[in-house]
Amino acid sequence: MSFRIDAGEIVGFLGPNGAGKTTTLKCLAGLLHPTAGRARVLGFTPHERERAFLRQFTLVMGQRNQLLWDLPAMETFLVNQAIYGVPEPQFRAALDELVALLELEPLLDKQVRQLSLGERMRCELAASLLHQPRVLFLDEPTLGLDVTAQATIRDFVRTYSARQGATVLLTSHYMADVTALASRILVIDGGTMRYDGDLRALVERHAPYRLLRLTLDCQVQPADMAAVGDLESADGLAVTLRVPRAATKERAALALSSLPVADVAIEDPSVEDIIRQVFTQR
């Protein structure tokens, strides 16, 4: 597969389990050597592990820890300052910004083992960004977090990228992460690129329809609804019809005029369903 990401882009990197997402990120971070082809990040060959390259990126994996478990998070921050050789004024400025963005003030002096998963993930992000990297590889950064914590991480990544002009390559099984942050997505399966482009274009390409959700006043035979759209599901008086995207208004008007409709809603199919279709159309 081949792709290029421009400076400052936030790109979603999607694929089923085993597709090669984490392997690709590890190649781009220099942890693995490509068996063929080449990778370039910021003009460097990642697996050569040059010091100038290591100072300019970070890899955050939602299922891996870098914080020192028995010590306060602040101790790991100071260790990372020493590792990256961040001057004190720059370190304090970066720390203050991250503490404010991630609301870390009450967490800095708490033992890491006493933090909740969401609190620990916020501290993990801060530890990874104290050297102000230009490229962020984020591998499932919201894995296992509750809805509130996921939203906090998403808001932070968006704000940080905008402030620092950072480039972000994000993998996630939570489609809300991708739709909230990335307009461009890469879809891989079996180590092969399946799609590279605009998220909205992918939706229109693989889902040229919308869902018409109707609440009826009384039961209607499926044949009576055929002129409006294809029956997607029916549960009592709640009916969902699939209608052509380009004819949504006309089909909705037809439903209101020809069926005993008490309520109507028009929805796009979920991004999860569309991505699932891409994976299954091998």
Side-chain angles (χ1 to χ4, degrees):
M1 62 180 177
S2 177
F3 62 91
R4 175 188 175 90
I5 297 174
D6 292 328
E9 274 194 284
I10 301 180
V11 178
F13 194 34
L14 307 179
N17 289 331
K21 302 186 300 297
T22 299
T23 299
T24 301
L25 292 188
K26 286 181 176 179
C27 285
L28 295 176
L31 298 177
L32 294 177
H33 290 225
T35 52
R38 66 189 184 95
R40 300 282 287 176
V41 180
L42 296 172
F44 296 93
T45 299
H47 64 259
E48 292 178 356
R49 307 286 289 172
E50 294 181 53
R51 180 182 292 271
F53 169 64
L54 298 178
R55 294 175 62 87
Q56 297 188 72
F57 82 93
T58 194
L59 171 62
V60 178
M61 307 180 78
Q63 69 273 34
R64 299 289 177 86
N65 300 334
Q66 69 163 313
L67 298 175
L68 302 172
W69 194 247
D70 295 312
L71 298 175
M74 189 63 195
E75 297 295 324
T76 300
F77 296 170
L78 293 172
V79 169
N80 283 6
Q81 178 192 11
I83 289 173
Y84 287 100
V86 182
E88 184 66 17
Q90 180 183 331
F91 171 76
R92 289 297 164 182
L95 179 62
D96 290 345
E97 179 183 30
L98 292 169
V99 167
L101 288 174
L102 290 167
E103 301 178 356
L104 299 181
E105 187 65 42
L107 308 179
L108 295 178
D109 296 321
K110 287 181 66 174
Q111 194 178 31
V112 170
R113 66 167 61 250
Q114 296 176 347
L115 300 177
S116 70
L117 179 58
E119 291 171 339
R120 181 173 60 76
M121 198 62 227
R122 281 149 56 196
C123 291
E124 291 277 0
L125 273 172
S128 300
L129 299 174
L130 285 166
H131 61 294
Q132 297 182 315
R134 294 170 56 195
V135 174
L136 280 60
F137 300 125
L138 304 182
D139 190 17
E140 302 282 359
T142 60
L143 184 67
L145 303 185
D146 60 38
V147 174
T148 301
Q150 288 177 20
T152 299
I153 298 299
R154 287 195 293 267
D155 290 343
F156 168 74
V157 171
R158 185 188 302 108
T159 302
Y160 181 86
S161 176
R163 286 191 180 187
Q164 301 292 334
T167 305
V168 181
L169 185 58
L170 165 74
T171 81
S172 181
H173 284 294
Y174 299 115
M175 288 299 108
D177 291 348
V178 178
T179 55
L181 292 171
S183 57
R184 176 188 173 194
I185 60 170
L186 308 175
V187 180
I188 69 168
D189 192 8
T192 301
M193 186 71 69
R194 302 292 301 279
Y195 180 81
D196 177 358
D198 182 74
L199 178 58
R200 184 178 297 276
L202 180 72
V203 171
E204 294 176 354
R205 172 179 167 185
H206 287 271
Y209 63 89
R210 282 198 170 115
L211 300 176
L212 204 61
R213 300 195 185 278
L214 307 176
T215 301
L216 304 176
D217 285 325
C218 60
Q219 293 284 354
V220 175
Q221 294 299 316
D224 297 330
M225 296 182 283
V228 176
D230 298 326
L231 184 63
E232 177 87 0
S233 65
D235 183 10
L237 297 178
V239 174
T240 300
L241 301 176
R242 184 182 294 194
V243 302
R245 181 177 293 273
T248 302
K249 291 182 180 179
E250 293 81 358
R251 297 299 180 89
L254 180 60
L256 291 170
S257 63
S258 63
L259 299 174
V261 176
D263 193 18
V264 60
I266 300 171
E267 299 178 5
D268 280 312
S270 71
V271 176
E272 290 93 332
D273 290 341
I274 294 167
I275 295 297
R276 196 175 299 116
Q277 289 180 38
V278 176
F279 296 155
T280 56
Q281 293 171 2
R282 293 175 178 268

